[in-house]
Amino acid sequence: MPVTLVVGGQWGDEGKAKIIDYLARDADVVVRYQGGANAGHTVVVDGERFAFHLVPSGILYPRVTCVLGGGMVIDPVALVREIDGLVARGVDVGGRIRVSAQAHLVMPYHVRLDHASEARKGRECIGTTGKGIAPAYADKAARDGIRMADLQRKRADLEALVRERVREKNRLLRAMGVAGVSAQRVVADLLTARRRLSPLIMDTRPFLWDAVESGRDVLCEGAQGTFLDIDHGTYPFVTSSSASAGGAAIGTGLPPSAFKRVIGIFKAYCTRVGNGPFPSEDHGPEGNLLRDLGNEYGTTTGRPRRCGWFDAVAARTSVRLNGITDIALTKLDVLDALAHIKVCAAYRVGQRELDYFPADVADLSGVKPRYESFPGWKTPAVAGASMPSRALAYVRALEERVGCRIALVSLGPERSAVVQVRRARSSHEGTRRARRRPSA
Ligand code: IMP
């Protein structure tokens, strides 16, 4: 059975977990392919709020097996804590979490290096989540990483490896004017975590190949968003993994041909945390209003998110880059109270107009958004009632400007607040490329 891939279409925090949770009703396996505890995925079930950082949100469905893919970087202590937190809240995770032996470990020295690097950059900092993500991926690329597979080595070998890495990294930390970490403490915590994680670690690739070949429903979950992708995002203001659809094959071991249906998650407006270009950002009272109405504060760091209007230029680029076949538009209800709603239709650069998102941040720095304005509906859009006609008109206008059908709309944090506004495509029905003009 073809795999459904869910990808963030903007700068992360689009509400992916909400849609994964909706789609996971029918899934057998949910697999995450990149990132680490920098992600904060929130799901609300019967008024109860669950925040996930490492475990795929599909875990809330008892029949779903969750896989932490090889493209992830995982803090083992944080993973054990997250699993324990779920168990304490009555989620039966027994035998339903598999961790790829290929995934890399985020170690305490990575966290410290992340903070030290940000401090060194000062005003030019990236605004990371401070979870050690870039240093962990840097070690992976430098072939200096420690992988989940290493947790299954003989204790003495693992200990020697960790002590060696701590020695090297402490030298680096001290050179940056920061205290090193205690090797003894790092080893002790890792050995404790390994006792818990060892039974979950495996080569997850054959498991996933078998699942796909035997017709099981596999859902692939991206973290962060397209414009935080290490290659396609607003480099250097990006995360350190391949958050866009291309990363899914690498980060799971599933072949690119397995992915037929790509669901892009877009917020009905835009937000960004951390630094870097954000062309449709609203620095005025309307941006503040969006933040208040949408409760736009980071799940992982609690930071206030920068807020602005839906950026159709970025979204069009995202649709083409990811091969998005269907869009899920989230938080439409946040716009309920607004008198008018703006959409960035194009970027102006001097006398010219750009209709795609440039590859280099230098080309973004001078762009001025050209906005279109839509009348607000000033009435609550609620699931189960017919959608206010102006809300539907807004959705249709976005489809036109983005060049892809909007199949799902989310109107609130609850699981029940997802509305299907276009006929669902079966997972066999993904299109090879997004349609320029969606039909009803
Ligand atoms: P890092 O991934 O912690 O290295 O942070 C790099 C950039 O990605 C910063 O701008 C972060 O704010 C941003 N970022 C990382 N994870 C997320 C996320 O899950 N949602 C939104 N932004 C994120």
Side-chain angles (χ1 to χ4, degrees):
M1 181 176 275
V3 178
T4 298
L5 167 56
V6 175
V7 69
Q10 297 160 322
W11 281 276
D13 306 318
E14 299 94 348
K16 289 178 289 296
K18 175 80 196 306
I19 302 300
I20 303 260
D21 178 68
Y22 174 82
L23 298 168
R25 292 174 314 174
D26 304 320
D28 299 300
V29 178
V30 180
V31 49
R32 184 151 152 214
Y33 61 88
Q34 43 71 234
N38 48 349
H41 293 166
T42 311
V43 177
V44 180
V45 184
D46 298 332
E48 213 185 328
R49 184 176 175 277
F50 292 85
F52 298 94
H53 298 286
L54 291 162
V55 177
S57 41
I59 197 72
L60 296 178
Y61 289 97
R63 59 173 250 172
V64 170
T65 300
C66 286
V67 176
L68 282 76
M72 290 183 69
V73 287
I74 300 170
D75 176 337
V77 176
L79 177 56
V80 170
R81 203 182 311 124
E82 192 166 323
I83 293 173
D84 285 348
L86 286 166
V87 173
R89 293 177 71 181
V91 181
D92 177 12
V93 301
R96 295 196 296 120
I97 297 180
R98 316 258 156 115
V99 181
S100 167
Q102 294 173 303
H104 278 248
L105 300 191
V106 176
M107 302 290 286
Y109 48 77
H110 290 136
V111 175
R112 214 166 273 195
L113 283 166
D114 192 359
H115 288 285
S117 158
E118 286 284 271
R120 199 142 109 155
K121 289 185 173 126
R123 283 165 53 87
E124 309 293 307
C125 72
I126 306 297
T128 71
T129 59
K131 299 290 177 186
I133 303 301
Y137 276 115
D139 273 2
K140 172 179 174 173
R143 293 154 296 184
D144 273 339
I146 302 177
R147 307 208 294 180
M148 282 291 170
D150 293 315
L151 292 190
Q152 294 179 313
R153 294 218 230 163
K154 282 202 217 110
R155 179 184 165 146
D157 292 347
L158 174 63
E159 212 173 312
L161 174 67
V162 173
R163 285 186 183 279
E164 170 60 25
R165 289 291 179 274
V166 169
R167 244 192 316 276
E168 285 165 19
K169 300 299 175 187
N170 279 352
R171 267 200 294 273
L172 190 56
L173 282 165
R174 281 195 289 271
M176 295 171 90
V178 176
V181 296
S182 149
Q184 205 174 335
R185 181 77 201 270
V186 172
V187 168
D189 287 348
L190 193 60
L191 290 176
T192 306
R194 128 171 149 149
R195 275 194 287 281
R196 299 288 307 286
L197 296 180
S198 268
L200 317 183
I201 300 170
M202 63 186 287
D203 183 347
T204 51
R205 298 168 311 161
F207 173 79
L208 292 171
W209 296 330
D210 289 346
V212 172
E213 285 161 17
S214 62
R216 298 177 81 201
D217 204 321
V218 178
L219 192 58
C220 195
E221 166 179 338
Q224 290 83 45
T226 298
F227 297 107
L228 289 175
D229 181 284
I230 180 83
D231 291 290
H232 299 289
T234 51
Y235 191 92
F237 301 100
V238 291
T239 191
S240 301
S241 62
S242 299
S244 60
I250 301 291
T252 59
L254 288 167
S257 55
F259 302 92
K260 292 284 189 290
R261 186 179 179 215
V262 182
I263 302 186
I265 317 297
F266 292 82
K267 228 178 249 184
Y269 49 97
C270 273
T271 61
R272 171 165 203 167
V273 270
N275 297 328
F278 178 5
S280 64
E281 182 170 12
D282 190 311
H283 297 276
E286 288 178 318
N288 293 336
L289 186 62
L290 286 171
R291 184 176 311 107
D292 288 348
L293 293 172
N295 190 25
E296 295 295 352
Y297 297 89
T299 312
T300 304
T301 58
R303 289 180 290 178
R305 296 179 183 140
R306 299 157 65 192
C307 295
W309 302 103
F310 188 90
D311 184 338
V313 182
R316 269 198 302 274
T317 306
S318 186
V319 163
R320 298 178 79 186
L321 189 61
N322 293 302
I324 291 170
T325 55
D326 297 274
I327 288 176
L329 189 72
T330 59
K331 297 187 96 164
L332 184 66
D333 57 306
V334 170
L335 306 181
D336 281 352
L338 302 189
H340 65 269
I341 296 154
K342 292 200 275 184
V343 170
C344 170
Y347 297 157
R348 286 209 173 106
V349 196
Q351 300 303 308
R352 278 187 318 124
E353 274 202 354
L354 263 189
D355 74 343
Y356 71 96
F357 195 88
D360 188 68
V361 284
D363 298 323
L364 265 178
S365 56
V367 304
K368 297 252 179 308
R370 173 169 66 72
Y371 287 112
E372 289 179 62
S373 187
F374 295 85
W377 40 97
K378 304 217 71 176
T379 172
V382 282
S386 58
M387 177 112 63
S389 58
R390 283 179 172 174
L392 201 55
Y394 178 67
V395 172
R396 297 288 184 243
L398 295 190
E399 282 188 326
E400 281 297 311
R401 279 146 191 81
V402 169
C404 183
R405 57 189 237 137
I406 295 175
L408 298 171
V409 169
S410 147
L411 299 171
E414 276 289 338
R415 194 178 250 181
S416 54
V418 178
V419 180
Q420 196 176 309
V421 288
R422 288 200 184 271
R423 184 181 65 83
R425 252 195 258 269
S426 81
S427 40
H428 298 280
E429 241 190 307
T431 49
R432 240 170 254 292
R433 56 186 294 281
R435 285 185 284 166
R436 302 298 299 170
R437 287 273 177 262
S439 60

